[in-house]
Amino acid sequence: MLVSKQLPLLNSAFSARAQRVQARPTQPARAPLVCAAQPEQQQLQQQQSEEPGPPVMDHKRRLLKTLSLSEIRRPLGGTRKNDQSKVEALANSIQEIGLQEPIDVLQLDTDGSYWGFSGCHRFEAHQRLGLETIKCRVRKATPQTLKMHMM
Ligand code: ADP
C-alpha cells in the first residue's frame, strides 16, 4: 500500500531531475591543444640566421647569439697561428652547409664585452668568406674567469 502511494511521488521527483539535467547548458567544444614547441622552434631557426638579433637558448638552455665578428675580442688571435689547410676546409664546408657548431664566447658580466678563445679556425673561416656575423654560444664570465682564459 505504502509503495503504491509513494510511487507517483518518486516518479515526479525523477522527471523533475530529468528536466533539470536537460536544461543544463551544453559544454562548449574544447579548443584543440596548440603545441607550444612549434613557435619556439620557428624562433630558434629564425635566430640561427646570420642576422644579429635577440638571444635564444639551445636544447641545453645555453645562450645562443649571432654576433658581429667585429664585436668579438680575440686576445689570443695575434699569438696563435691557425692551421691554414683547416681554415680552408672549414671555409668550404661553411659555405656549402653553414656553421654546424657555434663557437664559444665569454661575455664579461661587468661591461658586456665578448671574448673569444676557441673556435679560432671557424672564426678565421668566416673572415675568409667575408661574413660579418657568426653564431656563438655565450657564457657569462667574471673578470677572474676571463684572466684564467688568458693565461
Ligand atoms: P676551431 O679552432 O674552430 O675549433 P677545429 O678544427 O678545432 O677548429 O674544429 C672545427 C669544429 O668546427 C668542429 O667541432 C666541427 O664540428 C665544427 N664545424 C662547424 N661547422 C662546420 C662545418 N660546416 N664543417 C665542418 N666542421 C664544422
Side-chain angles (χ1 to χ4, degrees):
M1 287 304 130
L2 196 65
V3 171
S4 63
K5 272 190 184 165
Q6 282 176 337
L7 257 180
L9 286 172
L10 273 174
N11 277 343
S12 68
F14 275 131
S15 68
R17 186 173 186 282
Q19 277 168 12
R20 277 202 307 275
V21 169
Q22 274 175 5
R24 270 184 210 155
T26 51
Q27 293 280 328
R30 285 193 183 188
L33 282 176
V34 178
C35 177
Q38 216 173 326
E40 281 171 19
Q41 280 166 359
Q42 282 168 359
Q43 191 194 13
L44 185 65
Q45 279 162 8
Q46 276 165 16
Q47 293 309 324
Q48 283 179 341
S49 71
E50 292 304 315
E51 287 301 311
V56 279
M57 302 291 174
D58 69 3
H59 65 290
K60 287 188 181 170
R61 300 198 60 75
R62 292 174 300 192
L63 183 64
L64 288 177
K65 216 170 171 189
T66 300
L67 298 174
S68 295
L69 297 190
S70 58
E71 64 183 320
I72 304 171
R73 301 178 201 187
R74 300 201 64 87
L76 306 178
T79 54
R80 288 188 188 166
K81 282 270 160 267
N82 285 335
D83 176 340
Q84 292 304 303
S85 61
K86 252 189 187 183
V87 173
E88 190 178 347
L90 270 169
N92 291 337
S93 175
I94 289 166
Q95 194 164 36
E96 205 175 312
I97 60 169
L99 183 66
Q100 300 298 297
E101 184 65 26
I103 63 166
D104 292 294
V105 163
L106 293 180
Q107 184 178 27
L108 205 53
D109 58 8
T110 49
D111 64 2
S113 57
Y114 296 105
W115 299 77
F117 295 89
S118 62
C120 314
H121 294 88
R122 280 166 282 175
F123 189 90
E124 195 178 329
H126 274 62
Q127 286 177 319
R128 253 199 215 197
L129 291 168
L131 298 171
E132 286 181 2
T133 60
I134 187 164
K135 280 182 274 184
C136 302
R137 224 176 352 240
V138 182
R139 192 157 55 92
K140 294 268 184 195
T142 60
Q144 287 80 6
T145 311
L146 188 65
K147 243 188 213 162
M148 274 167 39
H149 278 76
M150 291 171 87
M151 286 196 291

